[in-house]
Amino acid sequence: MPLYGHLSSIDSTATSMRLTWVSGDKEPQQIQYGDGKTVSSAVTTFSQNDMCSSALPSPAKDFGWHDPGYIHSAIMTGLNPSSTYSYRYGSNSVDWSEQIKFSTPPSGGTDELKFVAFGDMGKTPLDASEEHYIQPGALSVIKAIANEVDSNNVNSVFHIGDISYATGFLAEWDFFMYLISPLATRVSYMTAIGNHERDYVDSGSVYQTPDSGGECGVPYETYFPMPTSAKDKPWYSIEQASVHFTVISTEHDWSINSEQYEWMKKDMASVNRQHTPWLIFTGHRPMYTSNQGFSSKDQNFIKAVEPLLLENKVDLALFGHVHNYERTCSVYQNKCKAMPIKDQKGVDTYDNKNYSAPVHAVIGMAGFILDKSSNNGESWSLKRISEFGYLRAHATKNDLNLEFVTSDTREVKDSFRITK
């Protein structure tokens, strides 16, 4: 059977969408979409030999291995931005998925975008089974966002690192893709790589930890093909409506003069702010968090990359990795360069007509067991919440409105806006 279809954008025109799915059959299959269009899939897979292991044996190469079957991917072309289409995928020999409706995002340079963003989701078992790693909040967050999709409140989703937490137990990718299908079959589901997808000892990752369980980015990149330039270079940018998203990998070399650093620099410098007034920078590990301990900040990363954010007038920087929600003032080098002012509705408003520095938000609260919020945040920390939820955003050319929504009660626990 064709299973777990999920959509992603391939460029900023929004006239094409990629669908990726899984099947036990290696023969190409089709997507039938729109009014009678058909496209055939390219088929790929990965094997136990593609998993990595070192002095430290990995589950991915050993007892965690699970044959992924075949991963099918095809691009639907000739679409219009901000439009709804119907599709199904499969073939006569293996059967077809149900008929599904999806919407394309708005194209880069137009006005209005509604997106949700979060990190560190993983999956929650739907029964009493115990997995090696459970993310208790994932189900409630998926349900809440699926409601948003049903209400046409979401043009696209950004999941920034720590995707499935399969970490070498390959069957768990299937559980995760099943869990996200209420959203990912219907709107563009964009991702960034995190430590639990990439890091392993002696694997060329910046951080020498066994966090990927030996997956070393291979399943992630196969299941979630993003518009990246090459294999194991999972950074890219995309424009939707008035927003330019620069998506980086904190797990690959970002040091000054590295390939990724040069790419970031060039990408952000090339943004036409008449076309896309908002620049949002995203990566997995944060620059600002009040949390101490293993996931606190990497000073080398901050030293290398933070100046680029200021130089290119990044409006908002979104990170995961720490499992709670935190928002800063307009901050640079640990100092508040500007404070938001409350508008008539009492919403913190940052005036970026007089740009001073980026606002940072940690949004790693989408599933993994929460980290307690620190009671004594630093001066740059304006809001700290330890609850499951997601960031809901509404961008127009003049306004970027953001809300932290808790998934259990659907309550807005923090809202802020950035104006131009």
Side-chain angles (χ1 to χ4, degrees):
M1 281 287 288
L3 298 167
Y4 320 132
H6 51 275
L7 296 157
S8 57
S9 298
I10 66 161
D11 61 25
S12 304
T13 65
T15 55
S16 301
M17 288 282 268
R18 181 189 290 281
L19 182 75
T20 305
W21 68 97
V22 172
S23 165
D25 187 31
K26 66 171 185 287
E27 293 309 311
Q29 296 171 15
Q30 283 79 43
I31 313 173
Q32 296 177 341
Y33 66 100
D35 298 326
K37 289 184 177 162
T38 302
V39 60
S40 288
S41 64
V43 189
T44 183
T45 188
F46 52 88
S47 74
Q48 220 162 341
N49 289 338
D50 299 319
M51 302 297 97
C52 64
S53 201
S54 59
L56 190 68
S58 77
K61 242 190 163 48
D62 189 5
F63 55 87
W65 172 252
H66 165 80
D67 188 328
Y70 296 93
I71 295 96
H72 293 250
S73 206
I75 294 171
M76 297 181 269
T77 56
L79 308 172
N80 291 316
S82 305
S83 304
T84 302
Y85 296 89
S86 182
Y87 72 99
R88 65 175 191 161
Y89 57 96
S91 70
N92 290 336
S93 60
V94 300
D95 214 357
W96 294 87
S97 71
E98 59 188 356
Q99 200 76 27
I100 307 162
K101 274 197 162 57
F102 79 96
S103 301
T104 51
S107 58
T110 54
D111 183 30
E112 194 178 14
L113 175 68
K114 293 174 176 173
F115 69 92
V116 298
F118 53 81
D120 306 77
M121 179 178 262
K123 65 263 164 274
T124 310
L126 302 182
D127 57 21
S129 67
E130 289 284 335
E131 292 167 25
H132 83 292
Y133 232 173
I134 286 176
Q135 294 75 44
L139 193 55
S140 71
V141 173
I142 284 289
K143 282 184 171 161
I145 300 173
N147 273 9
E148 302 264 17
V149 172
D150 289 340
S151 322
N152 294 324
N153 276 346
V154 181
N155 304 127
S156 59
V157 172
F158 285 84
H159 181 168
I160 54 175
D162 289 4
I163 309 293
S164 74
Y165 287 98
T167 62
F169 294 81
L170 277 303
E172 294 182 17
W173 277 104
D174 289 13
F175 306 164
F176 173 76
M177 290 184 295
Y178 174 77
L179 200 66
I180 62 167
S181 60
L183 336 172
T185 52
R186 298 174 55 200
V187 294
S188 171
Y189 196 98
M190 305 304 284
T191 57
I193 201 164
N195 53 306
H196 285 293
E197 284 75 58
R198 182 62 185 81
D199 298 1
Y200 209 69
V201 183
D202 301 333
S203 71
S205 178
V206 173
Y207 301 98
Q208 294 290 310
T209 62
D211 294 354
S212 77
E215 292 185 5
C216 295
V218 174
Y220 164 74
E221 286 195 314
T222 312
Y223 288 128
F224 289 91
M226 291 293 120
T228 56
S229 63
K231 223 166 186 35
D232 206 29
K233 294 180 184 179
W235 48 85
Y236 64 95
S237 65
I238 193 150
E239 295 183 340
Q240 295 180 345
S242 47
V243 184
H244 179 102
F245 294 91
T246 297
V247 182
I248 72 140
S249 166
T250 53
E251 313 311 301
H252 290 74
D253 190 359
W254 31 249
S255 59
I256 293 174
N257 299 330
S258 66
E259 185 182 354
Q260 183 174 210
Y261 178 90
E262 291 300 332
W263 174 85
M264 277 184 240
K265 197 170 145 178
K266 194 172 159 199
D267 178 69
M268 291 193 281
S270 71
V271 180
N272 174 351
R273 302 303 274 266
Q274 283 354 91
H275 186 70
T276 47
W278 303 108
L279 175 50
I280 297 180
F281 180 90
T282 70
H284 184 58
R285 293 171 187 259
M287 295 185 182
Y288 289 90
T289 168
S290 301
N291 269 58
Q292 302 305 317
F294 81 95
S295 44
S296 54
K297 328 174 258 284
D298 179 345
Q299 294 306 331
N300 292 331
F301 173 57
I302 296 165
K303 218 163 137 180
V305 179
E306 193 184 19
L308 289 181
L309 307 192
L310 189 74
E311 222 169 276
N312 292 291
K313 299 191 172 175
V314 165
D315 296 289
L316 179 64
L318 298 176
F319 298 98
H321 196 57
V322 177
H323 304 138
N324 56 27
Y325 171 82
E326 184 165 20
R327 163 170 68 88
T328 70
C329 57
S330 298
V331 64
Y332 185 65
Q333 292 181 340
N334 288 308
K335 290 187 178 61
C336 283
K337 297 297 181 188
M339 291 296 276
I341 291 160
K342 293 208 182 299
D343 67 8
Q344 296 94 326
K345 292 182 185 153
V347 174
D348 275 0
T349 303
Y350 299 80
D351 176 9
N352 277 13
K353 273 197 286 295
N354 310 313
Y355 181 83
S356 51
V359 179
H360 288 246
V362 170
I363 51 171
M365 66 291 118
F368 201 91
I369 295 159
L370 294 164
D371 290 329
K372 284 191 177 64
S373 288
S374 158
N375 293 330
N376 46 356
E378 306 207 27
S379 57
W380 44 256
S381 177
L382 303 189
K383 196 84 181 182
R384 298 181 296 283
I385 302 168
S386 185
E387 289 186 54
F388 292 118
Y390 54 96
L391 188 71
R392 178 168 67 197
H394 181 194
T396 65
K397 292 233 161 171
N398 304 319
D399 255 327
L400 184 54
N401 292 281
L402 300 124
E403 296 176 317
F404 170 59
V405 185
T406 59
S407 53
D408 286 344
T409 60
R410 318 282 158 96
E411 214 178 319
V412 175
K413 287 284 178 90
D414 183 39
S415 47
F416 64 102
R417 59 195 271 257
I418 307 173
T419 59
K420 278 267 193 267

